[in-house]
Amino acid sequence: MKEGITTARRYHDISCGHRVYGHESKCAHLHGHNYRIHFEIQGELDSVGRVLDFSVIKSLLCMWLEDYWDHKFLVWENDPWAETLLRLDPTGTVVVPFNPTAENMAEYLVMVVGPARLLGSGYKLVKCEIEETRKCSAGFSRGPVL
Ligand SMILES: [Zn+2]
């Protein structure tokens, strides 16, 4: 039994719009960020000595961001503007089951996207940190799983 936990990390940059429903000030407006999204994976080492190859993190998680969130507009399904935004831009609007704060986006990636994309593998997405700006970030962690 090892005394420590091995992790592998990779980040990916996307541009994405959102509005935070119920926000007290400017985040209630339609706006966007150049998000930097950090993924952290835990798992057993393979025969080569890796949690998993960095290119696999890219193909499974970074490319999910490219396909589903990059250059899209995230809006909460309970936001009263959701229907209108979807009508204006059906392919560019992504209706999500959470108010799209960085905190909720990180939790969704760890709890929904990670398990779906890494299903059946020997490793897990355990943490996601989302920088909305270079100064502000939020994250979600499911804690040690091994
Ligand atoms: Zn914002």
Side-chain angles (χ1 to χ4, degrees), residues 14-18 31-35 69 71-74 105:
I14 60 168
S15 301
C16 192
H18 77 159
H31 70 285
H33 300 280
N34 292 317
Y35 288 96
W69 285 0
H71 284 73
K72 302 281 176 66
F73 193 92
L74 304 187
M105 291 164 68

Side-chain angles (χ1 to χ4, degrees), residues 4-143:
I5 295 167
T6 309
T7 59
R9 274 181 252 147
R10 182 169 180 138
Y11 70 78
H12 194 67
D13 294 328
I14 60 168
S15 301
C16 192
H18 77 159
R19 103 173 180 116
V20 177
Y21 178 62
H23 193 274
E24 303 79 5
S25 61
K26 59 187 182 181
C27 280
H29 299 303
L30 305 178
H31 70 285
H33 300 280
N34 292 317
Y35 288 96
R36 174 159 287 178
I37 299 176
H38 301 260
F39 294 113
E40 183 173 312
I41 316 286
Q42 276 181 22
E44 298 291 341
L45 296 185
D46 66 12
S47 61
V48 178
R50 300 163 299 192
V51 174
L52 76 172
D53 196 82
F54 297 120
S55 67
V56 177
I57 304 178
K58 180 181 179 184
S59 64
L60 293 177
L61 296 173
C62 301
M63 295 318 291
W64 187 94
L65 293 173
E66 287 286 319
D67 292 343
Y68 292 98
W69 285 0
D70 185 47
H71 284 73
K72 302 281 176 66
F73 193 92
L74 304 187
V75 61
W76 185 23
E77 62 188 1
N78 292 345
D79 186 325
W81 293 7
E83 199 179 314
T84 302
L85 291 168
L86 199 56
R87 197 172 335 113
L88 287 170
D89 187 358
T91 57
T93 302
V94 180
V95 178
V96 291
F98 53 86
N99 207 13
T101 59
E103 290 87 337
N104 285 337
M105 291 164 68
E107 180 175 350
Y108 184 77
L109 289 170
V110 170
M111 299 307 290
V112 177
V113 176
R117 299 290 278 187
L118 307 179
L119 188 67
S121 65
Y123 36 81
K124 284 196 166 70
L125 175 63
V126 293
K127 186 178 175 188
C128 186
E129 190 84 19
I130 299 188
E131 296 178 39
E132 274 198 359
T133 68
R134 298 295 82 90
K135 294 184 288 187
C136 301
S137 68
F140 180 85
S141 173
R142 67 186 307 173

